Amino acid sequence: MVSVIIPNYNHAPFLKERIDSVLNQTYDNFEVIILDDKSTDNSKEVIEVYRSHPRISQIVYNEENSGSTFKQWQKGFSLAKGEYIWIAESDDIAHPDFLKNLINAIAGDKGVVLAATGITLINEDGKTLGYESISKSKYIRKYSSKQFIRENMLIGNHLLNASSAIFRKDIISKIPKDYTKLKASGDYLFWVEIANQGKTVEIQINSIISGVPPQL
């Protein structure tokens, strides 16, 4: 099973499309955990529409804003029951075959801890702004831990979007929680720590994941 964590803060305009794109996945063995970090918009109103959906296992509203999306990630990990985790950020959408393709990439090799793909950037109106991959490879590529970090994470965070990856839940206990203390670069440290635990698979399938870039 995949535990899909949707951490939300003030993304009400994008939230319905995001949740629907998760619920409409062609891979059907998953639960959805929705976390709201005390949004000040109408996010709660959008979320509550889904409360009775059979795929929604938990909805948690913070009484105070945590100040960190990475603390929300950690909360989601503690609630997750699946073998794999997908952090489905609340201002993104996903192709219906996203989970199916990444599960196929990660499940066949116990040594693979992380599977990721490139992203198609869109703006608030759904206009495509371009496709970005982790590397320049156009095919499925498998990296050793050191190779992935050296080629893709040594200078800058080339795992461009948390929504573009899934990983094995059991490795969470093996990595430090220092990333939760950071404001802007916690994801960079998190992915390096995850990748350091085993092999990474990268697949290139156009339009698998779409993200709304900030400040648009």
Side-chain angles (χ1 to χ4, degrees), residues 111-116 134 143-154 157 159 165-168 171-172 174-176 187-201:
V112 175
V113 297
L114 174 65
I134 301 171
Y143 302 84
S144 68
S145 59
K146 291 182 179 179
Q147 182 185 22
F148 181 78
I149 293 169
R150 183 175 62 248
E151 293 187 17
N152 295 304
M153 307 296 284
L154 189 60
N157 182 4
L159 208 163
I166 66 171
F167 54 93
R168 295 186 185 273
I171 59 172
I172 294 294
K174 301 177 183 179
I175 70 171
D187 55 338
Y188 187 5
L189 179 58
F190 178 80
W191 295 123
V192 169
E193 296 284 10
I194 292 289
N196 198 40
Q197 302 302 314
K199 291 179 282 188
T200 294
V201 169

Side-chain angles (χ1 to χ4, degrees), residues 6 16 19-25 27-28 30-34 46-59:
I6 304 179
K16 181 182 186 302
I19 296 172
D20 287 347
S21 78
V22 171
L23 297 177
N24 291 331
Q25 290 294 299
Y27 183 85
D28 62 2
F30 64 89
E31 65 167 348
V32 179
I33 300 166
I34 302 176
V46 178
I47 292 168
E48 284 301 313
V49 171
Y50 296 90
R51 180 168 290 277
S52 62
H53 194 285
R55 295 286 184 193
I56 308 295
S57 63
Q58 300 197 56
I59 296 174

Side-chain angles (χ1 to χ4, degrees), residues 2 9-10 17 33 35 50 55 73 75 90 92 95 107 113 117-118 126-127 130 137 144 152 158 160 183 200:
V2 180
Y9 178 66
N10 283 352
E17 189 173 19
I33 300 166
L35 306 176
Y50 296 90
R55 295 286 184 193
W73 289 10
K75 177 185 284 189
S90 54
D92 298 335
H95 187 283
V113 297
T117 186
K127 180 181 177 181
S137 172
S144 68
N152 295 304
H158 291 277
L160 302 165
K183 291 290 185 180
T200 294

Side-chain angles (χ1 to χ4, degrees), residues 114-125:
L114 174 65
T117 186
I119 62 174
T120 299
L121 296 175
I122 60 174
N123 65 15
E124 292 177 340
D125 298 320

Side-chain angles (χ1 to χ4, degrees), residues 195-209:
N196 198 40
Q197 302 302 314
K199 291 179 282 188
T200 294
V201 169
E202 174 194 6
I203 63 174
Q204 299 294 354
I205 302 177
N206 197 25
S207 297
I208 277 290
I209 188 80

